[in-house]
Amino acid sequence: AQSVSQHNHHVILSEAASLELGCNYSYGGTVNLFWYVQYPGQHLQLLLKYFSGDPLVKGIKGFEAEFIKSKFSFNLRKPSVQWSDTAEYFCAVNARNGGYQKVTFGTGTKLQVIP
Amino acid sequence: EPEVTQTPSHQVTQMGQEVILRCVPISNHLYFYWYRQILGQKVEFLVSFYNNEISEKSEIFDDQFSVERPDGSNFTLKIRSTKLEDSAMYFCATKGGGGGAQEQYFGPGTRLTVT
């Protein structure tokens, strides 16, 4: 069974600070990896995804993530956060195949950006 | 861009009542999912549905829950007799068929409040 760990539950940063949110997954096979963002009171929005190829993936709003297979990690980064990045961020994984595999989410990291 | 839609956006019901949550998948998608997110917690998988039958369900998806595609388009989640602990945001997700389709597309969610 797959699982996802997000190490930071609550992160507080000042505007313009750099961000790195940790994500590790556990699964014996090949996976697809995702980062979702949930702004207060809103639904899940896909930030970026990794299926295959270049392990450094770029998403929307200046976010990027790097897949390090040897570490089972998929950390999310942004060089300079803005107040509008205040939200909850979820790392997610599913098994890479063409079937019905469910997505497993991490517990989320609440990011608070102080102006 | 095509998107998954869900109705209603917010449903308030009394304990013991039946509720039906509706999802309109992206056209030509073949895999369907329900997830839920209790306030302040992570998103949890409930059930996956393919070829008119349940592919996988979690331990949360007990006999009080059921899913169907009554008219070949809408995908519904029914809770037969709601409990207070069913209060959550319910997300529908759909995925295309074929080996190349890897990403699930999430709807905006239905907030269910059981009083």
Side-chain angles (χ1 to χ4, degrees):
Chain A
Q2 61 222 33
S3 65
V4 180
S5 296
Q6 290 183 246
H7 317 297
N8 317 101
H9 298 294
H10 196 182
V11 172
I12 301 174
L13 293 173
S14 298
E15 272 192 316
S18 65
L19 169 73
E20 181 159 2
L21 301 183
C23 172
N24 286 89
Y25 71 92
S26 173
Y27 182 68
T30 309
V31 296
N32 301 316
L33 295 155
F34 308 88
W35 274 99
Y36 287 89
V37 61
Q38 189 175 35
Y39 298 101
Q42 296 191 26
H43 64 278
L44 291 167
Q45 183 178 353
L46 182 67
L47 266 184
L48 46 78
K49 61 193 177 192
Y50 171 80
F51 292 160
S52 63
D54 188 345
L56 183 62
V57 291
K58 294 191 185 301
I60 60 171
K61 303 178 192 282
F63 286 90
E64 65 178 33
E66 185 175 12
F67 170 49
I68 303 179
K69 190 175 179 181
S70 61
K71 295 185 179 179
F72 297 89
S73 70
F74 191 57
N75 292 354
L76 180 71
R77 299 194 292 249
K78 186 171 184 178
S80 175
V81 295
Q82 301 170 312
W83 176 79
S84 57
D85 293 325
T86 294
E88 189 156 17
Y89 294 81
F90 293 93
C91 183
V93 63
N94 74 347
R96 180 171 174 75
N97 58 39
Y100 59 81
Q101 290 293 341
K102 65 187 178 189
V103 174
T104 298
F105 287 82
T107 49
T109 297
K110 284 193 169 74
L111 172 65
Q112 184 180 355
V113 180
I114 301 169
Chain B
E1 187 177 335
E3 55 184 27
V4 178
T5 58
Q6 290 184 241
T7 55
S9 57
H10 191 186
Q11 172 92 46
V12 181
T13 189
Q14 288 190 323
M15 197 167 52
Q17 296 296 305
E18 174 183 287
V19 294
I20 298 176
L21 310 183
R22 290 182 170 78
C23 168
V24 179
I26 293 172
S27 179
N28 298 325
H29 277 196
L30 300 178
Y31 297 88
F32 312 105
Y33 310 82
W34 283 102
Y35 295 82
R36 80 169 185 192
Q37 184 184 29
I38 294 171
L39 187 63
Q41 298 185 25
K42 70 174 180 178
V43 179
E44 301 172 290
F45 167 78
L46 289 179
V47 66
S48 58
F49 189 84
Y50 170 72
N51 201 25
N52 282 320
E53 60 183 27
I54 290 174
S55 310
E56 184 180 356
K57 59 183 180 180
S58 71
E59 61 275 10
I60 303 167
F61 194 88
D62 61 22
D63 293 342
Q64 294 299 312
F65 292 88
S66 63
V67 290
E68 61 176 359
R69 287 191 78 201
D71 54 10
S73 60
N74 290 313
F75 177 52
T76 63
L77 174 69
K78 184 194 291 187
I79 309 176
R80 237 179 301 280
S81 177
T82 50
K83 304 188 283 275
L84 293 176
E85 52 266 37
D86 294 326
S87 293
M89 183 74 93
Y90 288 81
F91 294 103
C92 172
T94 73
K95 185 167 81 83
Q102 298 293 337
E103 181 181 347
Q104 294 178 25
Y105 293 80
F106 284 80
T110 292
R111 181 169 297 285
L112 176 65
T113 303
V114 182
T115 61

